[in-house]
Each structure stands twice: as structure tokens, then as C-alpha cells.
Amino acid sequence: MKDKSKTCLTGIKPTGMPHLGNYLGAIKPAIEMANSEDFESSYFIADYHSLTTIYDPTKLNEYIYEVAAVWLAMGLDPNKSTLYKQSDIPEVMEMNWILSCFTSKGLMNRAHAYKAITQDNLENKRDADQNINMGIYSYPVLMSADILFLETEVVPVGADQLQHIEIARDIANAFNHHYGEVFTVPEALVRKDFAVIPGLDGRKMSKSYDNTIPLFLPEKKLKKLINKITTDSQPPETPKNPNDSLIFDLFKLFAKKQEITDFDEWYKKGIGWGEAKAELFKVINRELEGPREIYNDLMKNRHQIDEVLVQGRDKVRPKAQKFLNEVKLKVGVK
Ligand code: TRP
């Protein structure tokens, strides 16, 4: 029997250094969950999902290490939860095929992510299918294989992934309808994402707006980026409104209660933007400096990352093999 109440699993797509918005909205809550006693959690690096769009081998390989190092540096404990790499479990691919035979094409046609690319193509007067490979089209099937082969009960995801979990449920039900209760039907646990984390220009922090603060930068670069936050030309002594200040909004996400109160008062008395930015740098850097050191150390000693991933693979693969066998028996290929 499981000693923890629920099995939970989530995939992390390696696509480059995460930024502060990713950290606060996804990584931090996921690590808290992993370290809590309520879940038996597995996290994996969804490298085959990245291959749908990243065709540069050096980059993809670098991203895999980066994302693993970020999660480990931020406190994911590989002894409390499992961290592995999707491509280390080839059984997922066999499962992927079996599941795709229970996935109606119409279901894939309706997937938001795919539809968005088609839409964009049409709006720009391109062929509807331009730049859509089969990996992108059947992305949700592979995701279902990730989830279903580990008999996952709970999948913590951001709201943008909710439809994918619903698709996994549909596929599991379609299979179970023919063969009995083989697959556990997973449930999504949608994170109440932090009220949008603002980026350097005040819009939502997002790579596509080029306004992000990457998680691990050398201190000097972090300081420089923070200094780029746009401010108005009010002189230091003018009282300022903390509720209408990007610097204050970001500060609140990293500061302690008392620090927020003090900062609030300083604003109302009059604060110089340079001073405000220096305070913001201090609180962000305080939270990141320890993990940054671990991160840099891991990236210089990648065998340590490999060891964690091998340990994860060795834990997961026997389960995957056993379960795949059961499924193969059910469908009659064994
Ligand atoms: N598609 C997810 C993302 O873009 C990553 C992912 C792949 C995933 N497989 C998964 C998430 C299985 C949850 C469960 O972030």
C-alpha cells in the first residue's frame, strides 16, 4: 500500500532558464507540494515534448540540465520525490502508441494549443497546417502516456494545461470502457496562479514580452535588470503611492510583513526610485543567492544531475515496465 495519500505527477518542459514569474507561479508551489507529506510526487523533464519545437541539440541538452538544476537548487529533494527524464523511460513511447489508438482525431483537433497555431496561420494567410508537425498535433497523447503509465491520481498544473488533463481523462475512459478499469483516471489540481506576476514593463512577466527577470543571473546582471524598471521623474522627496508602483508590487512578493510595512511608510514619506530599486534588489537577491550558488555548482558538476536522474529512472522504469505489460496483455499483443 502507498504510505502517502495520493500520487502526484507533473512534467516540466525544458525550454530555457525559468524566470521569476515561473518561479513564483509554478516552481515554488510545486516544491512545497513535493516536500509535503500529503503526496507521493514525481516530477519529470518532458524533453520529448520540447523536441516538438526545439531542433538545436546543444540547446535542448543545455535546457535539460538547466531545468533539472533549477528544481534541485530551489529545494526539490530527490529522496522525498522522484525526478526523472521522460526519454529515459522508453515504455512511455509504447504507451503513447497504444493510447493514440484510443484517441479520436476530433479530440486532437479541438486541443487549444494546436488550434491557436492553426488560427495564427490562417490569420497570417498561411496554410492552416504550416509548421505543425505530428508531435505538436499529438502532444496531448504523449502527455496522457506520461500521466497514465504511472497510475497518477493528481496532476498539478497551471490553468493553461487543464484541457490536456481532460484529454488524458477522456483517453483513459475510452480505454477502460473496452478493457475494464485499467487506467486510473487522473484529476487536475489547478494552481491558483499568483495574481499575474508583473514583468519589467508592468505587463505580465512573459518571455514573449521580453520583460522577464531570469531566475539565476550573476548579481550584477540582476541589479542591472532591476534598474531597467521604468519609473517616472518625480523627485525623491515627493510622497509616492505604493499601490501604483511596479517596484512595490514585486517587493511584496519577496519581502517579510514588517519589511512591507516599512517600505510602505518610506513610499509615503518620499523615496527615491534608485533607493527603491536597491531595496527590491536586496529582497530578491536574498531569496535567490543560496539557490544560485547551488545551481552554479550543479551546472559545473553535471554528473551530480545525471546521478539524480539515473536514480529517478531506476525507480520509475520497473513500474513502467510492469504496467505496460499489463496493458499489453489487456489489448492482446502479449
Ligand atoms: N505540457 C506541459 C507543459 O507545457 C508539460 C508536461 C508534459 C506535463 N507532460 C506532462 C505536465 C504530464 C503534466 C503532466 O508545461
Side-chain angles (χ1 to χ4, degrees):
M1 274 316 286
K2 286 164 199 144
D3 51 356
K4 292 189 177 180
S5 48
K6 293 221 165 174
T7 49
C8 111
L9 166 132
T10 202
I12 311 149
K13 210 165 134 183
T15 50
M17 170 65 76
H19 54 70
L20 286 186
N22 301 137
Y23 166 60
L24 295 168
I27 301 175
K28 201 175 178 182
I31 289 178
E32 276 163 16
M33 210 172 149
N35 291 340
S36 89
E37 298 296 320
D38 304 334
F39 296 96
E40 186 185 309
S41 34
S42 301
Y43 290 83
F44 69 93
I45 301 170
D47 49 353
Y48 275 142
H49 277 110
S50 287
L51 189 59
T52 58
T53 50
I54 302 175
Y55 289 176
D56 177 333
T58 313
K59 260 196 192 154
L60 180 54
N61 200 258
E62 189 67 13
Y63 291 166
I64 292 170
Y65 280 106
E66 270 179 19
V67 82
V70 164
W71 282 69
L72 293 169
M74 281 304 176
L76 185 78
D77 179 348
N79 296 313
K80 274 197 194 147
S81 43
T82 309
L83 180 67
Y84 65 96
K85 193 167 73 166
Q86 183 184 38
S87 63
D88 276 343
I89 317 289
E91 287 74 20
V92 177
M93 287 303 140
E94 288 186 65
M95 192 66 98
N96 179 60
W97 178 258
I98 296 172
L99 293 178
S100 66
C101 297
F102 294 85
T103 307
S104 65
K105 177 172 173 281
L107 193 62
M108 296 298 95
N109 290 342
R110 289 191 292 277
H112 299 319
Y114 159 75
K115 265 175 42 185
I117 311 176
T118 315
Q119 193 68 31
D120 185 61
N121 277 338
L122 291 175
E123 274 165 21
N124 290 291
K125 311 229 178 305
R126 293 187 293 257
D127 183 83
D129 290 331
Q130 190 162 319
N131 289 328
I132 302 178
N133 58 51
M134 285 304 292
I136 290 175
Y137 186 62
S138 44
Y139 187 108
V141 184
L142 181 55
M143 222 174 125
S144 303
D146 293 329
I147 297 168
L148 298 179
F149 91 98
L150 268 186
E151 300 174 85
T152 307
E153 291 165 304
V154 180
V155 189
V157 284
D160 64 318
Q161 295 293 314
L162 190 57
Q163 191 197 26
H164 287 149
I165 311 306
E166 268 155 23
I167 292 174
R169 291 170 60 90
D170 285 349
I171 298 175
N173 282 321
F175 188 97
N176 288 352
H177 179 74
H178 287 279
Y179 303 99
E181 296 298 305
V182 178
F183 290 120
T184 304
V185 181
E187 299 215 359
L189 189 98
V190 179
R191 284 184 306 262
K192 284 181 227 83
D193 280 324
F194 274 72
V196 182
I197 315 287
L200 292 172
D201 58 358
R203 291 186 292 174
K204 176 187 166 163
M205 191 179 286
S206 161
K207 259 195 182 165
S208 43
Y209 294 149
D210 197 18
N211 65 355
T212 69
I213 303 179
L215 201 46
F216 296 128
L217 290 173
E219 270 186 27
K220 267 194 192 152
K221 280 207 174 149
L222 176 61
K223 212 175 253 173
K224 238 179 150 176
L225 264 190
I226 290 176
N227 282 331
K228 266 173 64 180
I229 296 176
T230 11
T231 42
D232 54 32
S233 53
Q234 296 182 81
E237 59 281 7
T238 312
K240 303 190 173 60
N241 180 3
N243 298 321
D244 181 27
S245 162
L246 176 56
I247 299 174
F248 198 85
D249 288 342
L250 286 168
F251 184 87
K252 278 193 294 197
L253 296 166
F254 292 91
K256 304 190 176 99
K257 251 197 180 145
Q258 186 59 46
E259 292 169 336
I260 298 173
T261 315
D262 294 346
F263 206 40
D264 185 276
E265 279 169 17
W266 197 353
Y267 260 71
K268 288 172 182 158
K269 270 194 289 183
I271 190 169
W273 290 130
E275 291 167 316
K277 287 175 182 176
E279 290 304 304
L280 175 61
F281 168 77
K282 260 194 237 161
V283 289
I284 295 183
N285 197 49
R286 178 178 67 196
E287 185 151 338
L288 297 184
E289 64 188 343
R292 184 195 298 126
E293 227 171 273
I294 303 174
Y295 174 85
N296 289 336
D297 188 63
L298 284 167
M299 289 302 279
K300 272 191 233 126
N301 299 285
R302 297 187 182 198
H303 65 276
Q304 293 180 5
I305 301 175
D306 291 334
E307 278 160 28
V308 170
L309 295 177
V310 164
Q311 182 189 325
R313 179 198 69 195
D314 291 347
K315 231 157 97 186
V316 167
R317 201 156 175 218
K319 283 192 214 166
Q321 282 166 333
K322 185 165 168 282
F323 190 56
L324 179 66
N325 257 323
E326 285 170 30
V327 173
K328 285 166 95 171
L329 260 173
K330 288 281 178 192
V331 298
V333 296
K334 251 210 137 50

